[in-house]
Amino acid sequence: MKKITAMLLALLMFFSLTAMPASAASGEKIVARMWLCSKINTKDPVDHCFLYFENFSDKPIKVGRFTVPVGGTVSVGTFGSTGPKGFGLYYNLETERDYYVDMLAIATRLTQSELDAVNKKIVNYNWWDPIFNCIFFAVRAWNAGADERLPIIIFPALMRRIIKNNGAQYEPFNLYKNNPNPVYKQTELKK
């Protein structure tokens, strides 16, 4: 048990230290807002962490493999056995599941080059397991575009505390209001 705990801590430290700062080109236009969200799950025993994007551009933007219309939104997160089509990354699934409560979220605005860096993390990810879970995915993608990097802590309660300590807002947007988009699994959309 001690060896497993030591290995998990070593992995956490490694992933926390390898986040490299992203720098926005000066004068680049903001195209999106990205939210790192933590919600309490009232149906399953484990809480959830995911990303939510708002298109601020005057044209459609790509978030991962999903095209977000002008003024539109998309949620992006990974799921294990609770995913409707099995383990993997889903677009808009969080906006369909109304049993998530008490959302905490922090936001950052993204230029196109920052969104491109985030997209590289999204399109190349389609997995979930207890270590490389929803938090691992969401924070790793967040760190690719945000100015403030966060450590990747794979335990939902601890990650929620980190988000809160970094200025999170409670329920900063209505997750269910502005999303008429269907749910897609990463593998259903073309690269």
Side-chain angles (χ1 to χ4, degrees), residues 124-137:
N124 293 314
Y125 202 90
N126 194 37
W127 185 247
W128 183 97
D129 66 39
I131 302 297
F132 301 104
N133 58 17
C134 61
I135 298 167
F136 179 86
F137 160 75

Side-chain angles (χ1 to χ4, degrees), residues 11-151:
L11 280 171
L12 290 172
M13 288 174 48
F14 172 75
F15 287 114
S16 296
L17 295 174
T18 58
M20 302 300 278
S23 56
S26 61
E28 237 186 309
K29 183 180 171 189
I30 299 297
V31 297
R33 178 166 44 196
M34 174 175 64
W35 294 88
L36 176 61
C37 306
S38 170
K39 291 204 76 145
I40 293 174
N41 189 339
T42 61
K43 186 174 178 183
D44 299 313
V46 180
D47 295 336
H48 186 50
C49 193
F50 61 97
L51 297 173
Y52 183 79
F53 294 84
E54 298 170 285
N55 182 352
F56 285 175
S57 177
D58 56 359
K59 60 183 179 180
I61 60 170
K62 289 289 267 190
V63 172
R65 296 183 187 175
F66 186 84
T67 301
V68 182
V70 174
T73 63
V74 65
S75 67
V76 184
T78 61
F79 289 84
S81 61
T82 63
K85 297 177 183 175
F87 288 47
L89 186 137
Y90 289 85
Y91 297 90
N92 295 312
L93 187 52
E94 290 83 3
T95 63
E96 298 294 318
R97 293 191 168 178
D98 62 359
Y99 52 82
Y100 293 121
V101 298
D102 201 23
M103 180 167 56
L104 274 176
I106 53 176
T108 190
R109 293 172 185 259
L110 301 174
T111 63
Q112 187 60 56
S113 61
E114 291 166 333
L115 179 59
D116 291 343
V118 172
N119 282 340
K120 286 180 185 177
K121 300 294 183 189
I122 294 173
V123 299
N124 293 314
Y125 202 90
N126 194 37
W127 185 247
W128 183 97
D129 66 39
I131 302 297
F132 301 104
N133 58 17
C134 61
I135 298 167
F136 179 86
F137 160 75
V139 176
R140 188 168 170 252
W142 168 270
N143 285 343
D147 290 333
E148 267 190 61
R149 303 305 184 267
L150 299 174

